[in-house]
């Protein structure tokens, strides 16, 4: 009945982007199931992410949401999640997706950054990973 996205859209106004996404999906869904009208009950909700910590927390919330909802046992098992891009080193990143903004918050090699991100999401470390600060 809803979805979560963490989007950065410097060129297209966010409201226009969300309108396009929701309209295209509604057209697809309504045609497939021979329905009409709105697909989602409410208008989208958006919030500007102000800092690095919030960027990571929003991403963590999104990746753990299917686990919290008891839809899957592990975040990597949810088929519509991008978590696999962090979890599996050989995962191929779709051209429309950029995980570098999150990974750039960590120090180390690409594999180390991905591992640190996964620890952050899963809470396996029992402590917060240090976020690299840039000048």
């Amino acid at each position: 009945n809803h979805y979560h996205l963490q989007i950065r859209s410097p060129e297209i106004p966010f409201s226009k982007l969300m309108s396009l996404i929701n309209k295209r999906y509604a057209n697809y869904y309504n045609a497939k199931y021979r329905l009409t009208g709105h697909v989602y009950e409410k208008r989208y909700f958006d919030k500007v992410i102000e800092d690095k910590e919030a960027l990571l927390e929003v991403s963590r919330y999104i990746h753990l949401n299917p686990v919290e909802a008891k839809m899957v046992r592990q975040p990597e098992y949810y088929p519509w999640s991008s978590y696999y891009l962090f979890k599996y080193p050989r995962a191929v990143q779709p051209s429309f997706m950029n995980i570098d903004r999150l990974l750039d918050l960590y120090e180390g090699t690409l594999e180390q950054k991905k591992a640190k991100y996964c620890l952050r999401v899963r809470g396996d470390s029992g402590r917060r990973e240090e976020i690299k600060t840039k000048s």
Side-chain angles (χ1 to χ4, degrees), residues 26-83:
N27 289 344
Y28 156 79
Y29 185 88
N30 286 338
K32 181 175 180 174
Y33 296 105
R34 297 181 182 166
L35 299 169
T36 59
H38 295 281
V39 173
Y40 297 106
E41 181 179 323
K42 298 177 184 173
R43 183 182 183 272
Y44 77 90
F45 169 77
D46 67 330
K47 185 175 180 183
V48 175
I49 299 172
E50 299 287 345
D51 57 38
K52 295 172 185 179
E53 186 67 29
L55 187 71
L56 287 167
E57 282 305 309
V58 168
S59 183
R60 180 178 190 272
Y61 173 84
I62 291 170
H63 285 133
L64 290 179
N65 190 262
V67 177
E68 295 295 321
K70 307 235 183 294
M71 298 167 71
V72 294
R73 294 185 70 166
Q74 305 294 335
E76 61 268 27
Y77 297 161
Y78 190 64
W80 298 279
S81 173
S82 61
Y83 187 76

Side-chain angles (χ1 to χ4, degrees), residues 56 59 63 86 106 113-121:
L56 287 167
S59 183
H63 285 133
F86 301 93
Y106 296 100
K113 290 177 179 185
K114 286 182 176 185
K116 288 176 183 179
Y117 175 82
C118 289
L119 284 174
R120 169 73 178 242
V121 168

Side-chain angles (χ1 to χ4, degrees), residues 4-15:
H4 297 110
L5 299 172
Q6 189 171 13
I7 296 177
R8 185 172 181 220
S9 180
E11 290 134 23
I12 300 171
F14 192 72
S15 60

